[in-house]
């Protein structure tokens, strides 16, 4: 088996489970629907995806990410988005999402603005500048 960074085969970056009874579970996906991140690895971390907070029956604050399409919108785009945000994960604070959303963390010891905005200023680094 080749390490993922040395193979030219990128089929491991996504799949669509067409037999899933919940598909499509997130509305608004424009590319092939990526089911690889059905349970998003960013659920416990700060992220730019649109989420709401709620309190569960045990009194714990949780994220509701049902409006988020970032880990599902295209195999390569969603793979790159998740990989970039997991480079320097920041544990989720348990607080509601900020406006503007959280920026992608920089490596420890680096300072400054770490957002790469589009021309209209709406994109968050890692969310819109991926390969389609």
């Amino acid at each position: 088996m080749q390490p993922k960074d040395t193979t030219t085969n990128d089929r491991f970056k996504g799949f669509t489970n067409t037999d899933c009874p919940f598909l499509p579970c997130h509305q608004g996906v424009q590319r092939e629907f990526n089911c690889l991140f059905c349970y998003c690895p960013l659920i416990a971390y700060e992220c730019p995806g649109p989420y709401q907070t709620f309190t569960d029956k045990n009194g714990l604050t949780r994220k509701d990410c049902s409006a988020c399409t970032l880990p599902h919108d295209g195999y390569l785009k969603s793979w790159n988005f998740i990989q970039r945000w997991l480079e320097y994960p920041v544990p989720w604070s348990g607080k509601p999402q900020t406006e503007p959303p959280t920026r992608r963390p920089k490596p420890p010891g680096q300072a400054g603005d770490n957002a790469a905005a589009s021309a209209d200023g709406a994109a968050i680094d890692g969310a819109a500048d991926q390969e389609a």
Side-chain angles (χ1 to χ4, degrees), residues 87-102:
E87 283 179 328
Y88 306 104
V90 175
W92 181 50
S93 67
K95 297 178 181 172
Q97 191 168 38
T98 60
E99 188 58 45
T102 302

Side-chain angles (χ1 to χ4, degrees), residues 100-107 110-117 121 123-125:
T102 302
R103 304 281 186 202
R104 188 170 74 90
K106 283 197 171 245
Q110 285 190 355
D113 185 12
N114 53 4
I124 300 299
D125 189 23

Side-chain angles (χ1 to χ4, degrees), residues 16-56:
T16 303
N17 181 359
T18 56
D19 292 331
C20 179
F22 304 106
L23 186 68
C25 50
H26 296 267
Q27 303 304 315
V29 172
Q30 303 297 313
R31 296 165 188 80
E32 63 271 301
F33 197 99
N34 193 350
C35 296
L36 181 62
F37 304 113
C38 180
Y39 292 97
C40 184
L42 300 177
I43 192 73
Y45 300 106
E46 295 291 346
C47 69
Y51 65 85
Q52 301 292 317
T53 57
F54 69 96
T55 303
D56 69 11

Side-chain angles (χ1 to χ4, degrees), residues 64-111:
D64 172 3
C65 303
S66 59
C68 184
T69 62
L70 295 173
H72 305 291
D73 199 1
Y75 297 162
L76 294 178
K77 183 178 178 185
S78 60
W79 172 268
N80 291 336
F81 165 74
I82 294 293
Q83 297 308 306
R84 289 184 65 164
W85 276 81
L86 288 178
E87 283 179 328
Y88 306 104
V90 175
W92 181 50
S93 67
K95 297 178 181 172
Q97 191 168 38
T98 60
E99 188 58 45
T102 302
R103 304 281 186 202
R104 188 170 74 90
K106 283 197 171 245
Q110 285 190 355

